[in-house]
Every structure is written in structure tokens, then in C-alpha cells.
């Protein structure tokens, strides 16, 4: 974020509060040496994101053990306001049986259920966020054209 770009930087607690109410987000990873972005539903758990997917999915193979980014946002185009939060950290498949059971009971539900599902946790190493309220910036309100 740049000091004159018109967005307000969000602190870690505000980022987590906003993410907790988001119904979906996007996981950013590498696929064939290129950036790939997939929309996913998730839940916030221990201030990191958790998603649920098929154990044999290409996503699991692509992200397990590597650093990914996860982004959630909310935008109101008419009001020209919104926020965006990005969590960057290592993604790992949850292998602990007790943890898996806990997440199975209270974690995210898959939008495309599979008979063999796993949970992927993103451990937050960096959490950043920014907000824009009503088209206002350090320069004032929007310009008339």
C-alpha cells in the first residue's frame, strides 16, 4: 500500500474481524509455474483460513506444504466502498485426527462434497488489509467528469 493511494490500512485485528464475516475468498497458488486463483468457501480458525476440499483434488496437490496467499473482500460498487484482506502463509493439509474431527464438526462445509475430504489450513505469516469508504481518498472526494 502506498501512502497516497486513498486507502486506509487495516490492522491485524480488523482484518480478522472482517474475514470472519466473509462467506468466500480466493486462494492464490502456483499452477504450472503460473499464478492460479480459485474461489473457495472457508472459515477463520486460529486467525488463519481453513478450507475443505476433496482429498484427491488438484488443489490439495498444488498447495500442501507451500506458501500461498488467501484473499477475502467485500465491495459495494454503488457506494464505492469496501475492504480487502490478504493472508500469506504456508498451506498444509490437517493430518491430526483430533483436529480433523474438530474441523469436521465445526469447520467449513464443502460446496462440492466428496466422500473423502480434507481440511487445508493456511498459517498466517503476514496479514494485510485495506479499506476504501465512499470514494474518499487523501485527495478528497471523487472527481466530477
Amino acid at each position: 500500500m502506498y501512502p497516497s493511494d486513498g486507502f486506509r490500512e487495516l490492522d491485524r485485528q480488523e482484518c480478522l474481524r472482517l474475514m470472519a464475516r466473509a462467506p468466500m475468498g480466493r486462494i492464490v497458488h502456483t499452477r504450472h509455474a503460473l499464478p492460479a486463483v480459485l474461489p473457495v468457501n472457508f472459515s477463520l480458525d486460529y486467525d488463519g483460513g481453513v478450507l475443505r476440499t476433496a482429498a484427491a483434488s488438484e488443489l490439495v496437490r498444488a498447495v500442501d506444504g507451500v506458501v500461498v496467499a488467501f484473499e477475502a473482500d467485500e465491495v459495494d460498487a454503488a457506494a464505492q466502498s469496501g475492504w480487502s484482506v490478504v493472508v500469506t502463509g504456508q498451506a498444509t493439509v490437517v493430518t491430526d485426527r483430533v483436529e480433523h474431527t474438530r474441523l469436521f464438526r465445526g469447520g467449513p462445509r464443502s460446496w462440492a462434497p466428496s466422500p473423502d475430504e480434507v481440511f487445508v489450513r493456511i498459517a498466517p505469516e503476514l496479514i494485510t488489509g485495506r479499506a476504501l469508504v465512499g470514494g474518499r481518498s487523501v485527495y478528497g472526494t471523487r472527481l466530477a467528469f
Side-chain angles (χ1 to χ4, degrees):
M1 206 163 17
Y2 302 99
S4 63
D5 70 359
F7 289 87
R8 178 175 62 86
E9 188 171 352
L10 304 174
D11 66 31
R12 183 182 181 101
Q13 286 309 111
E14 191 169 9
C15 287
L16 294 172
R17 181 182 60 76
L18 291 168
M19 277 189 76
R21 73 181 200 200
M24 63 152 302
R26 289 158 211 81
I27 188 164
V28 182
H29 63 94
T30 302
R31 181 176 183 214
H32 305 296
L34 296 170
V37 181
L38 291 174
V40 294
N41 64 318
F42 75 103
S43 66
L44 200 58
D45 190 58
Y46 301 125
D47 79 357
V50 174
L51 56 104
R52 184 176 185 167
T53 190
S57 71
E58 184 178 329
L59 177 62
V60 169
R61 290 189 304 276
V63 303
D64 189 25
V66 301
V67 173
V68 300
F70 182 83
E71 188 266 348
D73 59 27
E74 182 177 280
V75 177
D76 182 335
Q80 293 184 333
S81 65
W83 57 267
S84 174
V85 172
V86 177
V87 173
T88 305
Q90 186 169 13
T92 54
V93 172
V94 173
T95 57
D96 180 82
R97 285 194 143 339
V98 172
E99 185 70 358
H100 189 276
T101 301
R102 183 184 74 79
L103 290 169
F104 187 80
R105 289 187 186 128
R109 299 286 172 231
S110 179
W111 287 347
S114 166
D116 188 20
E117 294 180 327
V118 295
F119 293 94
V120 176
R121 178 182 307 285
I122 301 168
E125 295 173 28
L126 179 63
I127 299 177
T128 59
R130 61 191 211 153
L132 176 66
V133 180
R136 296 185 183 275
S137 76
V138 294
Y139 304 110
T141 57
R142 70 181 86 92
L143 298 173
F145 292 98

